[in-house]
Amino acid sequence: MNEIWGSGALAPAWEDMEEAQAFVSALMLMHNRVNGELREGLYEPLFLERTADDRRDLIVDDWCEGFMRGLRLWPPLSAADRALLEECTAPIRLFATDEGVEALEGMGHDQIEDPQQRIAPAVEKLFEHFVGPAHPSAAPYVRETPKVGRNDPCPCGSGKKYKRCCLH
């Protein structure tokens, strides 16, 4: 979670556990939505936009910086996977690194638009490679034991109903 807000010092102070759980639930809903869109070929990154001089400009910097922060959470990769990652993140790094921002300063609007348009296909290619249909995480989860209902006896053996014992 520290990658979401930048560091532990910037972490929100939740009023109670319910508020923290609501945040995590919203985060997981967004995660599942994005995964579903990527699987269905409907993915579109959420970039900010501004209109200036009758021209629509995408603002991708924050999105790209967040994407690169997320990549820092990945485990070490094979040489082939690292090469693919480098290739796919080239348009993203352009907007998320000091070197990229310096390169952008010398570009015109049309030149900047091209790498912006390559971001979504690059993310889709990464998803297909690392999480696509052939990846083990794509298989549906199958429960090994039956699901315990709220009013069933708790599996811990306490004799209480599950909702009054280990559910929370």
Side-chain angles (χ1 to χ4, degrees):
M1 292 293 180
N2 287 341
E3 285 299 323
I4 292 173
W5 30 80
S7 73
L10 299 173
W14 307 112
E15 288 188 22
D16 52 30
M17 185 57 83
E18 188 175 308
E19 184 181 37
Q21 287 174 338
F23 172 79
V24 171
S25 292
L27 182 66
M28 294 313 298
L29 281 171
M30 179 58 81
H31 174 268
N32 291 335
R33 180 178 153 217
V34 169
N35 270 337
E37 289 174 354
L38 281 162
R39 286 192 193 288
E40 296 168 16
L42 303 173
Y43 177 69
E44 201 173 310
L46 296 174
F47 298 142
L48 296 174
E49 295 181 9
R50 74 169 164 240
T51 304
D53 301 327
D54 295 326
R55 187 180 69 217
R56 187 184 121 230
D57 292 325
L58 294 178
I59 304 170
V60 302
D61 309 47
D62 290 338
W63 186 98
C64 292
E65 288 173 20
F67 189 88
M68 296 303 292
R69 279 199 330 245
L71 290 179
R72 289 196 299 259
L73 300 173
W74 283 21
L77 300 174
S78 70
D81 285 347
R82 273 194 318 272
L84 177 71
L85 183 65
E86 288 296 311
E87 171 196 329
C88 290
T89 58
I92 298 167
R93 287 192 320 272
L94 190 59
F95 299 96
T97 63
D98 291 338
E99 299 83 18
V101 171
E102 285 177 23
L104 288 170
E105 288 175 2
M107 294 182 182
H109 174 73
D110 293 338
Q111 292 171 306
I112 291 173
E113 199 172 286
D114 177 60
Q116 289 176 334
Q117 298 304 318
R118 290 187 290 129
I119 292 171
V123 171
E124 291 167 354
K125 185 174 181 177
L126 286 172
F127 182 83
E128 183 66 30
H129 179 77
F130 288 103
V131 189
H135 194 275
S137 69
Y141 174 76
V142 178
R143 234 180 252 283
E144 293 180 15
T145 58
K147 184 174 180 179
V148 179
R150 293 175 48 82
N151 290 314
D152 292 342
C154 191
C156 76
S158 67
K160 297 178 182 178
K161 288 184 176 184
Y162 181 56
K163 69 180 177 185
R164 299 277 183 214
C165 192
C166 292
L167 176 63
H168 301 288

